[in-house]
PDB file of all heavy atoms in Angstrom:
ATOM      1  N   TYR G1234     -10.597 -45.612-112.483  1.00 98.00           N
ATOM      2  CA  TYR G1234      -9.852 -46.132-111.340  1.00 98.00           C
ATOM      3  C   TYR G1234     -10.684 -45.981-110.077  1.00 98.00           C
ATOM      4  O   TYR G1234     -11.191 -44.894-109.773  1.00 98.00           O
ATOM      5  CB  TYR G1234      -8.524 -45.410-111.143  1.00 98.00           C
ATOM      6  CG  TYR G1234      -7.749 -45.967-109.969  1.00 98.00           C
ATOM      7  CD1 TYR G1234      -6.958 -47.100-110.095  1.00 98.00           C
ATOM      8  CD2 TYR G1234      -7.848 -45.379-108.710  1.00 98.00           C
ATOM      9  CE1 TYR G1234      -6.270 -47.632-109.017  1.00 98.00           C
ATOM     10  CE2 TYR G1234      -7.166 -45.912-107.622  1.00 98.00           C
ATOM     11  CZ  TYR G1234      -6.389 -47.032-107.784  1.00 98.00           C
ATOM     12  OH  TYR G1234      -5.725 -47.568-106.713  1.00 98.00           O
ATOM     13  N   GLN G1235     -10.843 -47.092-109.349  1.00 98.00           N
ATOM     14  CA  GLN G1235     -11.625 -47.103-108.105  1.00 98.00           C
ATOM     15  C   GLN G1235     -10.892 -47.980-107.095  1.00 98.00           C
ATOM     16  O   GLN G1235     -10.769 -49.182-107.295  1.00 98.00           O
ATOM     17  CB  GLN G1235     -13.028 -47.658-108.366  1.00 98.00           C
ATOM     18  CG  GLN G1235     -13.807 -46.899-109.434  1.00 98.00           C
ATOM     19  CD  GLN G1235     -14.859 -47.734-110.124  1.00 98.00           C
ATOM     20  OE1 GLN G1235     -15.533 -48.541-109.483  1.00 98.00           O
ATOM     21  NE2 GLN G1235     -14.996 -47.565-111.435  1.00 98.00           N
ATOM     22  N   ALA G1236     -10.379 -47.365-106.039  1.00 98.00           N
ATOM     23  CA  ALA G1236      -9.680 -48.092-104.980  1.00 98.00           C
ATOM     24  C   ALA G1236     -10.612 -48.180-103.779  1.00 98.00           C
ATOM     25  O   ALA G1236     -10.898 -47.179-103.123  1.00 98.00           O
ATOM     26  CB  ALA G1236      -8.384 -47.386-104.598  1.00 98.00           C
ATOM     27  N   ILE G1237     -11.081 -49.390-103.490  1.00 98.00           N
ATOM     28  CA  ILE G1237     -12.129 -49.588-102.496  1.00 98.00           C
ATOM     29  C   ILE G1237     -11.554 -49.758-101.094  1.00 98.00           C
ATOM     30  O   ILE G1237     -10.619 -50.537-100.877  1.00 98.00           O
ATOM     31  CB  ILE G1237     -12.973 -50.831-102.858  1.00 98.00           C
ATOM     32  CG1 ILE G1237     -13.640 -50.621-104.215  1.00 98.00           C
ATOM     33  CG2 ILE G1237     -14.016 -51.113-101.788  1.00 98.00           C
ATOM     34  CD1 ILE G1237     -14.214 -51.886-104.811  1.00 98.00           C
ATOM     35  N   SER G1238     -12.107 -49.007-100.158  1.00 98.00           N
ATOM     36  CA  SER G1238     -11.850 -49.225 -98.746  1.00 98.00           C
ATOM     37  C   SER G1238     -13.193 -49.071 -98.040  1.00 98.00           C
ATOM     38  O   SER G1238     -13.780 -47.992 -98.045  1.00 98.00           O
ATOM     39  CB  SER G1238     -10.831 -48.228 -98.186  1.00 98.00           C
ATOM     40  OG  SER G1238     -10.572 -48.486 -96.813  1.00 98.00           O
ATOM     41  N   ARG G1239     -13.675 -50.144 -97.451  1.00 98.00           N
ATOM     42  CA  ARG G1239     -15.022 -50.137 -96.884  1.00 98.00           C
ATOM     43  C   ARG G1239     -15.082 -49.473 -95.515  1.00 98.00           C
ATOM     44  O   ARG G1239     -16.155 -49.290 -94.951  1.00 98.00           O
ATOM     45  CB  ARG G1239     -15.562 -51.568 -96.820  1.00 98.00           C
ATOM     46  CG  ARG G1239     -15.729 -52.193 -98.212  1.00 98.00           C
ATOM     47  CD  ARG G1239     -16.455 -53.522 -98.147  1.00 98.00           C
ATOM     48  NE  ARG G1239     -15.739 -54.510 -97.363  1.00 98.00           N
ATOM     49  CZ  ARG G1239     -14.801 -55.308 -97.847  1.00 98.00           C
ATOM     50  NH1 ARG G1239     -14.446 -55.213 -99.127  1.00 98.00           N
ATOM     51  NH2 ARG G1239     -14.199 -56.186 -97.079  1.00 98.00           N
ATOM     52  N   GLN G1240     -13.925 -49.124 -94.970  1.00 98.00           N
ATOM     53  CA  GLN G1240     -13.843 -48.301 -93.767  1.00 98.00           C
ATOM     54  C   GLN G1240     -12.706 -47.318 -93.962  1.00 98.00           C
ATOM     55  O   GLN G1240     -11.793 -47.551 -94.763  1.00 98.00           O
ATOM     56  CB  GLN G1240     -13.618 -49.161 -92.512  1.00 98.00           C
ATOM     57  CG  GLN G1240     -14.779 -50.095 -92.192  1.00 98.00           C
ATOM     58  CD  GLN G1240     -14.608 -50.811 -90.849  1.00 98.00           C
ATOM     59  OE1 GLN G1240     -14.050 -50.260 -89.908  1.00 98.00           O
ATOM     60  NE2 GLN G1240     -15.096 -52.038 -90.766  1.00 98.00           N
ATOM     61  N   TRP G1241     -12.722 -46.233 -93.202  1.00 98.00           N
ATOM     62  CA  TRP G1241     -11.693 -45.215 -93.296  1.00 98.00           C
ATOM     63  C   TRP G1241     -11.689 -44.423 -91.999  1.00 98.00           C
ATOM     64  O   TRP G1241     -12.583 -44.542 -91.155  1.00 98.00           O
ATOM     65  CB  TRP G1241     -11.957 -44.295 -94.490  1.00 98.00           C
ATOM     66  CG  TRP G1241     -13.323 -43.689 -94.496  1.00 98.00           C
ATOM     67  CD1 TRP G1241     -13.745 -42.539 -93.903  1.00 98.00           C
ATOM     68  CD2 TRP G1241     -14.503 -44.252 -95.128  1.00 98.00           C
ATOM     69  NE1 TRP G1241     -15.091 -42.325 -94.108  1.00 98.00           N
ATOM     70  CE2 TRP G1241     -15.578 -43.363 -94.869  1.00 98.00           C
ATOM     71  CE3 TRP G1241     -14.740 -45.402 -95.884  1.00 98.00           C
ATOM     72  CZ2 TRP G1241     -16.874 -43.599 -95.333  1.00 98.00           C
ATOM     73  CZ3 TRP G1241     -16.028 -45.628 -96.355  1.00 98.00           C
ATOM     74  CH2 TRP G1241     -17.067 -44.739 -96.082  1.00 98.00           C
ATOM     75  N   MET G1242     -10.661 -43.622 -91.810  1.00 97.00           N
ATOM     76  CA  MET G1242     -10.594 -42.797 -90.605  1.00 97.00           C
ATOM     77  C   MET G1242     -11.663 -41.718 -90.674  1.00 97.00           C
ATOM     78  O   MET G1242     -11.746 -40.968 -91.640  1.00 97.00           O
ATOM     79  CB  MET G1242      -9.213 -42.152 -90.468  1.00 97.00           C
ATOM     80  CG  MET G1242      -9.046 -41.360 -89.179  1.00 97.00           C
ATOM     81  SD  MET G1242      -7.431 -40.559 -89.028  1.00 97.00           S
ATOM     82  CE  MET G1242      -6.374 -41.999 -88.843  1.00 97.00           C
ATOM     83  N   THR G1243     -12.500 -41.653 -89.635  1.00 96.00           N
ATOM     84  CA  THR G1243     -13.578 -40.675 -89.630  1.00 96.00           C
ATOM     85  C   THR G1243     -13.720 -40.017 -88.268  1.00 96.00           C
ATOM     86  O   THR G1243     -13.430 -40.632 -87.236  1.00 96.00           O
ATOM     87  CB  THR G1243     -14.915 -41.337 -90.014  1.00 96.00           C
ATOM     88  OG1 THR G1243     -15.959 -40.347 -89.988  1.00 96.00           O
ATOM     89  CG2 THR G1243     -15.287 -42.468 -89.062  1.00 96.00           C
ATOM     90  N   ILE G1244     -14.161 -38.774 -88.274  1.00 93.00           N
ATOM     91  CA  ILE G1244     -14.437 -38.062 -87.028  1.00 93.00           C
ATOM     92  C   ILE G1244     -15.938 -38.062 -86.739  1.00 93.00           C
ATOM     93  O   ILE G1244     -16.372 -37.549 -85.710  1.00 93.00           O
ATOM     94  CB  ILE G1244     -13.930 -36.611 -87.065  1.00 93.00           C
ATOM     95  CG1 ILE G1244     -14.668 -35.814 -88.159  1.00 93.00           C
ATOM     96  CG2 ILE G1244     -12.427 -36.569 -87.271  1.00 93.00           C
ATOM     97  CD1 ILE G1244     -14.386 -34.317 -88.120  1.00 93.00           C
TER      98      ILE G1244
END
Side-chain angles (χ1 to χ4, degrees):
Y1234 181 83
Q1235 303 154 39
I1237 299 166
S1238 182
R1239 296 189 298 273
Q1240 295 187 34
W1241 54 87
M1242 184 181 292
T1243 179
I1244 63 171

